[in-house]
Amino acid sequence: MSINLKSVYAFAKEVHQKKSDKVIQYGTAGFRTSYEDLDHVMYRMGLLAVLRSRAKAGQIIGVMITASHNPEVDNGVKLVDPAGEMLEQSWEQIATKLANVPDNDLQSEVETIIREQNIDMTVKAPVYVGMDTRFHSPMLAKAVMNGIMTLRGTPTDFGIVTTPMLHYFVVCGNTSGAYGQPTEEGYYNKLINSFKNLRGSVFENGAYRKKVLFDGANGVGALKMLSFARKLEPCLEVEVLNKNGKINFNCGADFVKVQQKFPLSFEDVNPNVRCVSVDGDADRVVYFYKNDAGDFVLLDGDRIATLLASYLIDLIRKIGINLKLGIVQTAYANGASTDYIVKELKVPVACVPTGVKHLHHKALEYDIGCYFEANGHGTIIFSTPAKTAILNASEDDSLSEESRTAAKKLLSTINLINETVGDAISDMLLVETVLHASGWDLSEWHGQYEDLPNLQLKVKVQDRNVITTTDAERKCVTPAGLQAEIDTLVAQYPRGRAFVRPSGTEDVVRVYAEAASRQDMIKLAYDVAKVTYKLAGGVGDEPQTPKL
């Protein structure tokens, strides 16, 4: 295969020029910024996807165009590695450099990557491309395609899909269909068949009712759930709301989690109706409802992790096999959830830095690794030996009927899970399965434990990089003196906990605080925000504690 690398520069100069000196960084969620600044980045990520595929001996690489829970004006792009995981960390630096070099240096930078990574440019390079529903996604996808074809890669355009669907397609393609069929219909069928098998012929049980209201964040999740909903009947009735408006505007999982209030279209929902919300690209999911007093009640990623872990523990106990189950959290996990997992479920908990790539990597250390960020992004991973042990148990005639039945149920549960990445639709169906099996409504689920009041704030700063952290982002290293101030403040409140960390996408510092009472929690959060503003170079108005 002959590739003229001069065409890399020529195409960039003529069609995909770098029009801004704005530096953009590949973070946990890839590149993400205003869509107007992304054309040249998309072209270059098309180039990089081809290089990455060849560096991985011709395995399929994914390119997803999305800005997830960000406002509609934003867009972004991230690469998906062969096993469906996030891009290898060392290549994040390569991506950042490639995205930011001047057009005149683009050809030489590509040549440097080829040389340093020892890439065989004769290897075929298949690349899967997907995008969310933002109006600017199609033109950005075209830039990605141009980059792929410039280096003679082979693109497959899946059009509008959820982020988890693209991850799923990549794994299916790289495993020759062993994980499933790399088509939208194959994705639907795998999840729906597993769900219906677990649900059986009894659609309602105890306090559980089969109707659910679905907040689609006016994004791709709404679009795909409309197709899912028809196929799920009569097992589950899903009414899709927020399906035609402005993406993520006053709706979606991030809005519900951070604002802790009802999204658009849900203000007048009846008490105890089960509601679920996903984000703009459908990789996060949270539940919520209105209680009898008319109050908003949230069931976030922490709650999902504890619910699913309880279910898995029960099945493993019934099978009678020895499997190590662990739960992975971030610093954002509510302290009450951690206490419940350790003291009641008696399951080990690990804490890692924010970002699915960190949680996923840690979860691989267990036979069954369950991870969910508090924002609702997560999944469950089963090791190959664990799957083999469960399969063997399902076929072992020496075991009791109850044990074999539990093993078969666990196998169906595995098929319902998208193990490649957090998948809002897959996770929703899994939660519905567990609630149905338990005969619970959301109030019974919520009754597992009581959350500590918590709050997240943003502090605008001149440069977010002045904040550095350690201990899974729970301790601040720089600027000097900030952690000591935080420790002094936390010590003043019963069950107080707080930390700060830099945003991965904008010049803000994120502040998290929790305490035994709502009043203490608010005071703590704003006190921490004030010292952060003071010591980390805050800009704009200084945070002001609201009147309580």
Side-chain angles (χ1 to χ4, degrees):
M1 183 187 302
S2 176
I3 299 174
N4 179 9
L5 289 180
K6 290 183 180 179
S7 63
V8 172
Y9 165 65
F11 212 138
K13 184 178 180 181
E14 294 173 12
V15 184
H16 301 292
Q17 303 98 333
K18 185 175 184 293
K19 299 176 181 178
S20 168
D21 291 331
K22 178 181 178 180
V23 175
I24 184 169
Q25 187 171 350
Y26 196 106
T28 300
F31 294 110
R32 195 175 293 178
T33 189
S34 170
Y35 80 93
E36 296 174 337
D37 297 324
L38 282 171
D39 181 78
H40 76 282
V41 175
M42 294 292 178
Y43 172 71
R44 295 172 187 208
M45 289 307 99
L47 300 175
L48 190 66
V50 173
L51 297 177
R52 181 63 177 162
S53 175
R54 292 190 173 122
K56 300 297 286 185
Q59 294 186 86
I60 299 163
I61 297 297
V63 180
M64 184 67 199
I65 300 159
T66 181
S68 187
H69 58 278
N70 278 39
E72 191 172 61
V73 69
D74 288 343
N75 215 319
V77 58
K78 60 182 176 180
L79 271 60
V80 180
D81 260 357
E85 71 272 49
M86 302 298 186
L87 181 65
E88 182 183 308
Q89 196 160 0
S90 64
W91 276 68
E92 292 181 7
Q93 299 169 12
I94 295 172
T96 296
K97 189 173 182 183
L98 184 65
N100 289 290
V101 296
D103 287 336
N104 290 341
D105 297 332
L106 183 58
Q107 179 184 333
S108 63
E109 184 60 30
V110 169
E111 291 171 345
T112 297
I113 296 170
I114 293 170
R115 182 177 65 256
E116 291 182 350
Q117 299 298 321
N118 195 26
I119 295 172
D120 181 353
M121 294 298 285
T122 66
V123 173
K124 291 183 179 180
V127 181
Y128 287 177
V129 181
M131 62 182 176
D132 70 14
T133 55
R134 294 164 200 268
F135 70 87
H136 30 76
S137 289
M139 68 178 186
L140 296 178
K142 185 176 180 180
V144 170
M145 291 292 198
N146 285 343
I148 294 169
M149 291 185 288
T150 296
L151 287 184
R152 303 293 190 269
T154 306
T156 300
D157 184 4
F158 283 92
I160 295 174
V161 292
T162 69
T163 293
M165 288 172 71
L166 186 74
H167 283 256
Y168 171 86
F169 297 153
V170 169
V171 176
C172 292
N174 282 322
T175 57
S176 302
Y179 189 70
Q181 295 305 309
T183 64
E184 192 160 330
E185 195 65 23
Y187 172 82
Y188 288 149
N189 289 340
K190 182 178 181 181
L191 296 189
I192 290 168
N193 290 341
S194 299
F195 177 76
K196 288 188 173 182
N197 185 43
L198 287 163
R199 178 57 56 99
S201 59
V202 178
F203 304 148
E204 297 186 339
N205 180 34
Y208 178 87
R209 296 293 174 264
K210 64 178 182 176
K211 178 69 178 288
V212 62
L213 299 182
F214 184 90
D215 167 23
N218 295 316
V220 63
L223 184 67
K224 300 307 177 185
M225 182 49 73
L226 289 170
S227 298
F228 260 99
R230 290 189 292 270
K231 298 174 184 290
L232 288 168
E233 294 178 349
C235 295
L236 187 68
E237 294 179 10
V238 183
E239 181 179 348
V240 182
L241 304 176
N242 296 329
K243 53 190 174 184
N244 297 314
K246 195 172 183 179
I247 191 168
N248 296 321
F249 180 70
N250 289 341
C251 61
D254 189 65
F255 174 86
V256 171
K257 168 62 180 172
V258 175
Q259 300 295 326
Q260 299 204 16
K261 63 182 182 181
F262 296 103
L264 200 68
S265 308
F266 284 77
E267 298 89 346
D268 297 324
V269 68
N270 290 327
N272 299 309
V273 171
R274 200 163 65 260
C275 305
V276 61
S277 182
V278 304
D279 64 334
D281 66 337
D283 62 5
R284 297 183 183 185
V285 60
V286 296
Y287 275 74
F288 60 95
Y289 70 103
K290 181 185 292 183
N291 65 17
D292 290 329
D295 300 322
F296 169 87
V297 182
L298 174 69
L299 297 112
D300 61 9
D302 297 336
R303 297 274 182 179
I304 293 172
T306 55
L307 178 76
L308 302 186
S310 299
Y311 177 75
L312 294 174
I313 290 167
D314 183 59
L315 288 178
I316 293 168
R317 179 185 56 79
K318 288 178 179 176
I319 299 170
I321 53 179
N322 183 24
L323 295 175
K324 183 182 179 183
L325 185 148
I327 294 180
V328 188
Q329 297 184 322
T330 71
Y332 285 108
N334 194 281
S337 74
T338 308
D339 288 345
Y340 178 81
I341 293 166
V342 174
K343 296 176 182 178
E344 299 297 326
L345 299 183
K346 302 189 186 309
V347 170
V349 176
C351 185
V352 298
T354 304
V356 169
K357 63 184 178 185
H358 301 297
L359 291 115
H360 195 92
H361 180 75
K362 187 66 178 179
L364 291 170
E365 296 180 11
Y366 300 97
D367 294 323
I368 303 175
C370 176
Y371 70 83
F372 276 86
E373 293 185 285
N375 62 27
H377 196 173
T379 191
I380 304 170
I381 308 171
F382 292 77
S383 70
T384 298
K387 290 178 180 178
T388 301
I390 296 164
L391 176 62
N392 290 341
S394 72
E395 300 172 345
D396 189 347
D397 291 336
S398 68
L399 296 178
S400 67
E401 182 65 27
E402 181 187 40
S403 295
R404 292 197 305 275
T405 299
K408 291 173 183 176
K409 185 175 289 187
L410 189 48
L411 289 174
S412 291
T413 300
I414 293 172
N415 282 328
L416 183 56
I417 298 167
N418 185 348
E419 295 181 74
T420 66
V421 71
D423 183 333
I425 292 175
S426 165
D427 291 338
M428 184 197 95
L429 294 178
L430 187 56
V431 168
E432 293 296 321
T433 295
V434 179
L435 292 176
H436 173 265
S438 304
W440 282 2
D441 62 12
L442 294 190
S443 64
E444 289 173 295
W445 176 15
H446 189 260
Q448 282 187 308
Y449 60 87
E450 185 175 352
D451 275 323
L452 291 170
N454 62 91
L455 183 64
Q456 295 181 43
L457 299 174
K458 291 182 181 179
V459 178
K460 291 186 178 181
V461 293
Q462 194 86 27
D463 178 11
R464 67 181 183 272
N465 294 313
V466 302
I467 298 282
T468 59
T469 62
T470 187
D471 189 23
E473 301 180 313
R474 291 176 290 189
K475 296 292 182 183
C476 185
V477 177
T478 61
L482 179 53
Q483 186 60 48
E485 294 276 3
I486 294 172
D487 291 342
T488 299
L489 291 169
V490 166
Q492 298 174 21
Y493 300 99
R495 300 199 71 181
R497 184 171 71 91
F499 66 89
V500 299
R501 57 177 290 271
S503 166
T505 56
E506 53 186 327
D507 280 323
V508 300
V509 178
R510 303 190 185 279
V511 175
Y512 176 90
E514 63 184 40
S517 72
R518 182 175 180 275
Q519 186 172 25
D520 284 353
M521 171 270 295
I522 292 174
K523 288 180 180 177
L524 176 58
Y526 278 90
D527 284 348
V528 172
K530 288 175 186 177
V531 298
T532 301
Y533 179 92
K534 178 181 177 181
L535 297 178
V539 297
D541 295 332
E542 182 178 352
Q544 297 297 319
T545 308
K547 292 182 179 180
L548 300 175

